Amino acid sequence: MSALVFLVNSAIGIFKIILIVWVITSWLVAFNVINTRNQFVASLMEFLYRATEPALRPIRRIVPDLGGIDISPLILLLLVQAIQIFFNDSIVPLLYGY
Protein backbone atom coordinates (compact mmCIF):
# COMPACT_ATOMS: atom_id res chain seq x y z
CA MET A 1 0.00 0.00 0.00
CA SER A 2 2.89 2.36 0.72
CA ALA A 3 4.03 1.96 -2.89
CA LEU A 4 0.67 3.31 -4.09
CA VAL A 5 0.89 6.28 -1.74
CA PHE A 6 4.46 6.95 -2.85
CA LEU A 7 3.44 6.71 -6.52
CA VAL A 8 0.54 9.14 -6.15
CA ASN A 9 2.61 11.63 -4.16
CA SER A 10 5.48 11.37 -6.64
CA ALA A 11 3.17 11.89 -9.63
CA ILE A 12 1.65 14.96 -7.99
CA GLY A 13 5.11 16.30 -7.17
CA ILE A 14 6.35 15.78 -10.72
CA PHE A 15 3.27 17.53 -12.12
CA LYS A 16 3.88 20.50 -9.81
CA ILE A 17 7.48 20.73 -11.03
CA ILE A 18 6.36 20.54 -14.67
CA LEU A 19 3.85 23.31 -14.03
CA ILE A 20 6.46 25.57 -12.43
CA VAL A 21 8.92 24.91 -15.27
CA TRP A 22 6.15 25.77 -17.76
CA VAL A 23 5.53 29.11 -16.06
CA ILE A 24 9.21 30.00 -15.93
CA THR A 25 9.89 29.04 -19.54
CA SER A 26 6.83 30.91 -20.78
CA TRP A 27 8.11 34.02 -18.96
CA LEU A 28 11.55 33.55 -20.51
CA VAL A 29 10.03 33.27 -23.97
CA ALA A 30 7.77 36.29 -23.39
CA PHE A 31 10.75 38.44 -22.35
CA ASN A 32 12.89 37.14 -25.27
CA VAL A 33 15.46 35.55 -22.99
CA ILE A 34 15.23 32.22 -24.79
CA ASN A 35 14.41 31.72 -28.44
CA THR A 36 11.76 29.24 -29.51
CA ARG A 37 13.57 28.71 -32.83
CA ASN A 38 16.09 26.64 -30.92
CA GLN A 39 15.10 23.00 -31.42
CA PHE A 40 15.64 22.03 -27.77
CA VAL A 41 13.61 24.98 -26.49
CA ALA A 42 10.84 24.31 -28.99
CA SER A 43 10.60 20.64 -28.04
CA LEU A 44 10.71 21.49 -24.32
CA MET A 45 7.94 24.06 -24.74
CA GLU A 46 5.86 21.58 -26.75
CA PHE A 47 6.22 18.92 -24.04
CA LEU A 48 5.37 21.37 -21.26
CA TYR A 49 2.37 22.68 -23.21
CA ARG A 50 1.02 19.20 -23.83
CA ALA A 51 1.55 18.21 -20.20
CA THR A 52 -0.12 21.26 -18.64
CA GLU A 53 -2.68 22.55 -21.12
CA PRO A 54 -5.38 19.88 -20.50
CA ALA A 55 -5.48 20.91 -16.84
CA LEU A 56 -5.13 24.64 -17.50
CA ARG A 57 -7.80 24.93 -20.23
CA PRO A 58 -10.87 24.51 -17.95
CA ILE A 59 -9.46 27.01 -15.48
CA ARG A 60 -8.80 29.54 -18.25
CA ARG A 61 -12.43 29.23 -19.35
CA ILE A 62 -13.67 30.12 -15.86
CA VAL A 63 -11.14 32.75 -14.75
CA PRO A 64 -11.67 36.17 -16.37
CA ASP A 65 -8.92 37.72 -18.49
CA LEU A 66 -6.79 40.03 -16.38
CA GLY A 67 -5.14 41.83 -19.27
CA GLY A 68 -2.01 39.84 -19.99
CA ILE A 69 -1.65 38.24 -16.58
CA ASP A 70 -2.46 34.55 -16.57
CA ILE A 71 -3.19 33.33 -13.06
CA SER A 72 -4.48 29.94 -14.14
CA PRO A 73 -1.16 28.16 -13.36
CA LEU A 74 -1.26 29.58 -9.83
CA ILE A 75 -4.86 28.39 -9.38
CA LEU A 76 -3.95 24.97 -10.75
CA LEU A 77 -0.94 24.74 -8.45
CA LEU A 78 -3.15 25.55 -5.45
CA LEU A 79 -5.72 22.95 -6.57
CA VAL A 80 -3.07 20.27 -7.03
CA GLN A 81 -1.63 21.08 -3.60
CA ALA A 82 -5.12 20.85 -2.08
CA ILE A 83 -5.66 17.49 -3.77
CA GLN A 84 -2.36 16.22 -2.39
CA ILE A 85 -3.22 17.40 1.12
CA PHE A 86 -6.69 15.79 0.88
CA PHE A 87 -5.14 12.55 -0.34
CA ASN A 88 -2.54 12.46 2.44
CA ASP A 89 -4.92 13.48 5.23
CA SER A 90 -8.12 11.65 4.22
CA ILE A 91 -7.39 8.78 1.84
CA VAL A 92 -4.06 7.48 3.20
CA PRO A 93 -5.40 6.92 6.75
CA LEU A 94 -8.27 4.90 5.28
CA LEU A 95 -5.81 2.75 3.36
CA TYR A 96 -3.74 2.04 6.45
CA GLY A 97 -6.70 1.74 8.82
CA TYR A 98 -5.85 4.64 11.14
Side-chain angles (χ1 to χ4, degrees):
M1 209 46 78
S2 63
L4 177 66
V5 172
F6 175 76
L7 182 67
V8 170
N9 281 320
S10 296
I12 291 173
I14 289 170
F15 184 74
K16 288 191 294 189
I17 291 170
I18 289 172
L19 188 61
I20 291 169
V21 171
W22 164 249
V23 169
I24 292 171
T25 54
S26 66
W27 287 347
L28 293 175
V29 168
F31 292 122
N32 290 323
V33 175
I34 57 175
N35 189 356
T36 56
R37 292 183 188 164
N38 183 332
Q39 184 179 2
F40 174 75
V41 173
S43 62
L44 176 68
M45 291 296 291
E46 180 69 21
F47 166 74
L48 294 172
Y49 176 81
R50 288 178 184 252
T52 59
E53 188 60 25
L56 288 171
R57 192 177 308 125
I59 297 171
R60 287 185 179 140
R61 274 190 246 131
I62 296 170
V63 175
D65 185 22
L66 297 176
I69 299 174
D70 186 16
I71 62 167
S72 58
L74 177 64
I75 294 171
L76 181 60
L77 193 60
L78 291 173
L79 285 173
V80 169
Q81 184 67 30
I83 290 170
Q84 187 174 22
I85 290 170
F86 175 77
F87 176 75
N88 288 329
D89 291 346
S90 299
I91 306 298
V92 171
L94 292 176
L95 294 174
Y96 288 114
Y98 295 134

